Amino acid sequence: MKTITKKQRILNAPFTRILLGLIVCFIAFILAQQVTGKILDLTPANKNLRNLIKGIISSIAVVGTYIYFFRKYEKRKVTEFSNKGMGNYILIGIGIGALLQCLTILVIIANGGFEIVSVNPVSDMIIPFTVAFSVAIFEEILIRGIIFRILEEKLGSYISLIITAIIFGALHLANPNSTLLSGLCVGIEAGFLMGAAYIYTRNLWFPIAIHFAWNFMQSGVFGAITSGNEKTASLLSTKITGSQLITGGEFGPEGTIQAIIFCLLAAIILLKLSKNKIISPYWRK
């Protein structure tokens, strides 16, 4: 019987794997952003094009780093970034994310709180598009790919869902105009929905696509505030008014009651469809 050394136990511990994974992927993302940005500053490319290229390269860098690091560290095939079914996961995920955001905005429209001020050039969607896909890839790798996946091995699917939902909501408390209520909303919406999406497919492309579409439709199409941040250029310039429960106030539609309901229902449906993929905590195995 092979004896496991103290060093091996430490390196194989969930906390160590999570910590090292977060550090490595975070460094890869930041370095790619900085290096690419400095190179692009020397070119005649406009700001929108530079940001788009920087977003693409930094996203490729963090995905590549994640795959290489965990393939070597955990000595396994990184199936959560498998190309099998990738196209379907992305298309269906974008459809789900867009639908949920449209339903959220539809409630605001039904309450008379959504006014279109102007329709802008399609090029105005470049920046929110870039931000949406790069943030979706980065956050899903950190939260679902590293924290949730590794915690789930020991604590099971449901406990890990709760923990990562709390973490995700808490991280958004640092955003401008955030409140405990808005943090709770994000935790319930994205924390449970993206976690359930990962459980259903065991592939990160699915939650990444949902996350991207939700953010892009919100900021790039409907011109709404996203997670309390400042408005960006968008296809539609809009004015959103009314009750904070319905509009999200200065935090944006993510902080609304209807967003919680729609996203939670979607998460429950995905979990119901994932019965055979739910992992039990180690003490029940």
Side-chain angles (χ1 to χ4, degrees):
M1 186 174 178
K2 187 176 179 181
T3 303
I4 299 176
T5 65
K6 183 177 180 181
K7 180 180 178 181
Q8 288 174 320
R9 283 199 300 271
I10 293 173
L11 288 174
N12 291 332
F15 176 78
T16 307
R17 290 159 58 203
I18 289 173
L19 181 61
L20 292 178
L22 292 175
I23 291 172
V24 169
C25 289
F26 191 85
I27 290 174
F29 188 80
I30 297 301
L31 282 178
Q33 287 253 317
Q34 292 181 344
V35 172
T36 305
K38 288 181 180 179
I39 293 173
L40 289 173
D41 285 342
L42 303 175
T43 70
N46 62 44
K47 183 180 178 181
N48 285 355
L49 181 58
R50 290 202 306 269
N51 284 332
L52 179 61
I53 295 171
K54 187 166 65 173
I56 292 171
I57 291 176
S58 58
S59 297
I60 292 172
V62 75
V63 171
T65 299
Y66 175 91
I67 293 172
Y68 180 80
F69 178 76
F70 282 107
R71 185 173 62 209
K72 294 293 184 181
Y73 190 7
E74 298 178 337
K75 295 179 175 59
R76 66 180 180 89
K77 186 177 180 181
V78 181
T79 56
E80 59 269 29
F81 267 121
S82 171
N83 292 329
K84 185 177 180 181
M86 174 182 168
N88 285 335
Y89 293 148
I90 290 175
L91 288 175
I92 295 171
I94 287 175
I96 291 172
L99 175 62
L100 291 171
Q101 183 60 229
C102 287
L103 289 172
T104 299
I105 295 296
L106 186 60
V107 173
I108 300 175
I109 293 173
N111 279 270
F114 190 87
E115 178 186 350
I116 297 176
V117 178
S118 65
V119 179
N120 305 314
V122 173
S123 59
D124 281 6
M125 294 192 292
I126 293 176
I127 288 180
F129 175 85
T130 303
V131 172
F133 80 74
S134 57
V135 166
I137 289 173
F138 186 59
E139 290 186 351
E140 290 310 309
I141 282 179
L142 298 189
I143 304 298
R144 257 58 65 176
I146 298 175
I147 300 176
F148 176 80
R149 178 180 61 81
I150 295 174
L151 286 178
E152 188 187 31
E153 294 173 3
K154 293 291 184 182
L155 302 180
S157 301
Y158 293 125
I159 295 176
S160 299
L161 269 177
I162 293 170
I163 292 174
T164 49
I166 292 171
I167 292 172
F168 199 68
L171 289 174
H172 283 74
L173 289 176
N175 288 10
N177 303 309
S178 65
T179 63
L180 284 175
L181 179 60
S182 65
L184 180 63
C185 289
V186 171
I188 294 173
E189 295 159 12
F192 285 117
L193 177 58
M194 306 309 169
Y198 173 71
I199 292 171
Y200 177 65
T201 59
R202 293 296 168 184
N203 190 301
L204 286 170
W205 291 120
F206 192 46
I208 285 172
I210 296 173
H211 195 151
F212 157 75
W214 171 271
N215 282 354
F216 176 63
M217 291 297 294
Q218 185 170 233
S219 60
V221 177
F222 294 123
I225 297 169
T226 299
S227 299
N229 295 297
E230 290 184 7
K231 282 189 177 183
T232 63
S234 56
L235 181 63
L236 303 176
S237 290
T238 59
K239 184 179 180 182
I240 297 176
T241 56
S243 168
Q244 187 169 336
L245 283 176
I246 301 299
T247 66
E250 295 183 347
F251 190 77
E254 288 178 346
T256 63
I257 187 67
Q258 69 268 25
I260 290 179
I261 293 170
F262 292 138
C263 291
L264 189 56
L265 283 174
I268 292 170
I269 291 170
L270 287 172
L271 289 174
K272 288 289 185 182
L273 295 172
S274 306
K275 280 185 178 181
N276 297 330
K277 299 176 183 178
I278 300 296
I279 295 176
S280 299
Y282 73 92
W283 58 84
R284 290 188 178 179
K285 292 180 181 179

